[in-house]
Amino acid sequence: MRPESTFDLQSFLPYLLTQAAERSSLEFQQVYRDRYGMLRTEWRVLFHLGLYGTMTAGGIGAAAGTHKTKISRAVHRLAERRYITRNRDGADRRVEHLDLTPRGRAVFNELRGIAADYDEALSNQLSETELKVLRTALRKLAGMQSGRFT
Amino acid sequence: MRPESTFDLQSFLPYLLTQAAERSSLEFQQVYRDRYGMLRTEWRVLFHLGLYGTMTAGGIGAAAGTHKTKISRAVHRLAERRYITRNRDGADRRVEHLDLTPRGRAVFNELRGIAADYDEALSNQLSETELKVLRTALRKLAGMQSGRFT
DNA sequence: CCCGGAAAGTTGTAACTGTAACAATATTCG
DNA sequence: CGAATATTGTTACAGTTACAACTTTCCGGG
């Protein structure tokens, strides 16, 4: 029989991660929302294109672990605002290649600067080692399944 | 002028945290959704009551960092399913004291066991030190503001 | 006492998300 | 070739969330 007193909500990783994620995204989110009316998925698409160059919707979805319908809608809105262009592939006409417009790149550049500042502000709350271990652990958790457990 | 090549999405804490949080919540979420039709906020309310005993909606909201409208709706749905009772405070009639019903406690006990197993499965992917540093860092990030930075 | 303001919750509405179903291609292989 | 199947991306609809406005109750100063 399982002991009753074992479980601690404040140590439960999914809970702790969600709290930290929500909290740490808050201020930055505020910036791209208030300033550019962007949602989180739109921000992600913008950053993928800005950092990695031309990509397809599917490629971004795979890289960011985001569902294709969310990507589809984000792409639609970004194109509407002329932050990105959509170019049908010649060989496979199901595919579209996405790119930042100059306008999109300008927004990306500004947001990247703010993101870098924000990341630094967060990082300064932790020691060097803490930060290093944290990033490693998060990458492991983000990239893996625990396997069936129920 | 800021260097162009500095920013790395895979090291950006808010991004990394969100990815890890989404990923790690997914499987557990599946359990309480499929099995009990519960949403995340309902799960949180249930666990707060199960672990800490009688609480008010406002108290849970403050403890969990969750907006009162989300709590309000979660409480409504949990009461509807007879997982919790709502008792008006005698002295301050704006306040309701919430408690698990026996039925709610049974569900809580089962979910707590599953949560403990899941946490263990996740924890096993990390070393002892990693885990310790991770929890400390997450608590810091969850509980603090970076201050003005924009 | 009683009025203004604060606090605890609730509700309306518009926006966002998830699931599944869909259309338009591409590919496989008998 | 051509029917079955897979892939890329969109859309419909139902369900969830956010924000603001609201109700009810409490508190403090005149």
Side-chain angles (χ1 to χ4, degrees):
Chain A
M1 159 146 194
R2 180 184 306 283
E4 297 275 315
S5 55
T6 290
F7 188 80
D8 174 19
L9 190 54
Q10 308 304 322
S11 299
F12 185 45
L13 281 178
Y15 183 76
L16 216 40
L17 284 163
T18 302
Q19 298 291 92
E22 281 176 5
R23 184 63 105 102
S24 79
S25 295
L26 214 119
E27 289 177 293
F28 183 52
Q29 187 173 201
Q30 209 97 35
V31 178
Y32 60 71
R33 275 196 63 203
D34 296 354
R35 218 127 130 192
Y36 300 107
M38 259 191 249
L39 303 175
R40 172 138 66 192
T41 308
E42 290 162 40
W43 172 85
R44 285 189 183 182
V45 169
L46 193 82
F47 267 60
H48 274 82
L49 294 177
L51 291 169
Y52 309 127
T54 309
M55 290 184 82
T56 67
I60 297 172
T66 305
H67 196 275
K68 59 182 180 174
T69 62
K70 281 171 93 168
I71 302 286
S72 173
R73 282 159 173 150
V75 165
H76 179 79
R77 295 186 49 160
L78 289 172
E80 209 169 47
R81 292 166 201 207
R82 317 256 185 255
Y83 287 177
I84 67 176
T85 56
R86 322 172 62 156
N87 293 103
R88 195 59 74 176
D89 183 291
D92 184 340
R93 296 204 330 236
R94 293 169 304 181
V95 174
E96 272 181 349
H97 298 285
L98 308 171
D99 285 283
L100 294 187
T101 59
R103 190 173 166 197
R105 180 153 299 277
V107 172
F108 163 68
N109 279 330
E110 173 159 3
L111 286 178
R112 177 178 55 182
I114 295 170
D117 290 347
Y118 186 39
D119 201 44
E120 203 189 317
L122 285 177
S123 302
N124 283 340
Q125 314 282 353
L126 304 171
S127 76
E128 270 308 313
T129 17
E130 245 178 343
L131 198 54
K132 217 177 139 220
V133 174
L134 176 65
R135 290 207 167 106
T136 309
L138 289 178
R139 286 199 193 97
K140 284 190 200 171
L141 292 173
M144 80 199 181
Q145 221 72 271
S146 77
R148 241 193 46 64
F149 76 98
T150 43
Chain B
M1 161 149 191
R2 177 183 310 281
E4 297 274 315
S5 54
T6 290
F7 188 80
D8 174 20
L9 189 56
Q10 308 304 321
S11 299
F12 185 45
L13 280 178
Y15 183 76
L16 218 38
L17 283 163
T18 302
Q19 297 291 89
E22 282 176 3
R23 183 64 105 102
S24 78
S25 294
L26 213 114
E27 288 177 295
F28 183 53
Q29 186 173 204
Q30 209 95 36
V31 178
Y32 58 73
R33 276 195 64 202
D34 296 355
R35 217 126 132 192
Y36 300 107
M38 259 192 250
L39 302 175
R40 189 192 308 211
T41 308
E42 289 161 40
W43 172 84
R44 284 190 184 181
V45 169
L46 192 83
F47 267 60
H48 275 82
L49 295 177
L51 292 168
Y52 309 126
T54 308
M55 291 184 82
T56 66
I60 297 173
T66 305
H67 197 273
K68 61 181 180 176
T69 63
K70 281 172 93 167
I71 301 285
S72 173
R73 281 162 171 146
V75 165
H76 179 79
R77 296 186 49 160
L78 288 171
E80 209 168 48
R81 294 166 200 208
R82 317 257 185 254
Y83 287 177
I84 66 175
T85 56
R86 321 173 63 157
N87 293 102
R88 195 60 74 178
D89 184 291
D92 183 341
R93 295 200 334 235
R94 295 168 303 181
V95 174
E96 270 181 350
H97 298 284
L98 308 172
D99 285 285
L100 293 187
T101 59
R103 190 174 166 196
R105 180 154 298 277
V107 172
F108 164 68
N109 279 330
E110 172 159 2
L111 286 178
R112 178 179 53 181
I114 295 171
D117 290 347
Y118 185 40
D119 201 44
E120 204 189 316
L122 285 178
S123 301
N124 283 339
Q125 315 281 356
L126 305 171
S127 76
E128 270 306 314
T129 15
E130 249 179 341
L131 198 53
K132 217 178 138 216
V133 174
L134 176 65
R135 290 207 168 104
T136 309
L138 290 179
R139 286 199 193 96
K140 282 190 200 171
L141 291 172
M144 81 201 180
Q145 221 71 272
S146 78
R148 231 199 46 64
F149 77 97
T150 43

